[in-house]
Amino acid sequence: MAFYCQCMLEIALILSEYDPIYEEAAYKFVEHFMWISYAMDRMGERHDEMWDEQDGFFYDLLRLPDGQAMRLKVRSLVGLLPLCASTLLRAIS
């Protein structure tokens, strides 16, 4: 989903060069990206982030009814997808 937000952000930024109405959509995709990023790498006392520092890999989380989270230590391509979410923005001169 983070990669999707970045792709949509790029499209909205290109379209906003021709029609300023797309600036609001671009802002919305940045906001969504930030929420997704926060969900993946949460900070606090629970430490229920997807990133495992020891393994250097993203794992899925299983959220239990009591509010706890448990990492599912299964290595798959899904764990590599967050690394695809990168975008280069050019400065407007």
Side-chain angles (χ1 to χ4, degrees):
M1 291 307 295
F3 181 64
Y4 171 77
C5 284
Q6 285 184 312
C7 291
M8 295 304 291
L9 171 62
E10 288 184 53
I11 293 169
L13 289 174
I14 291 169
L15 291 173
S16 70
E17 293 176 10
Y18 303 100
D19 190 349
I21 199 163
Y22 290 101
E23 290 175 1
E24 187 175 331
Y27 176 77
K28 188 70 136 179
F29 289 119
V30 169
E31 188 177 47
H32 287 184
F33 178 81
M34 292 300 186
W35 280 110
I36 293 166
S37 299
Y38 170 74
M40 291 176 62
D41 192 23
R42 297 175 68 168
M43 299 176 80
E45 64 184 52
R46 284 205 255 174
H47 300 291
D48 56 350
E49 64 266 356
M50 294 172 70
W51 178 252
D52 187 310
E53 193 67 41
Q54 288 179 336
D55 293 349
F57 201 78
F58 286 97
Y59 292 109
D60 286 330
L61 289 175
L62 176 63
R63 298 222 180 257
L64 304 172
D66 64 357
Q68 292 183 348
M70 181 176 67
R71 276 196 197 114
L72 301 176
K73 293 228 175 187
V74 177
R75 290 187 177 228
S76 66
L77 287 177
V78 174
L80 297 174
L81 282 178
L83 302 176
C84 295
S86 59
T87 299
L88 296 175
L89 299 174
R90 292 178 289 213
I92 299 174
S93 53

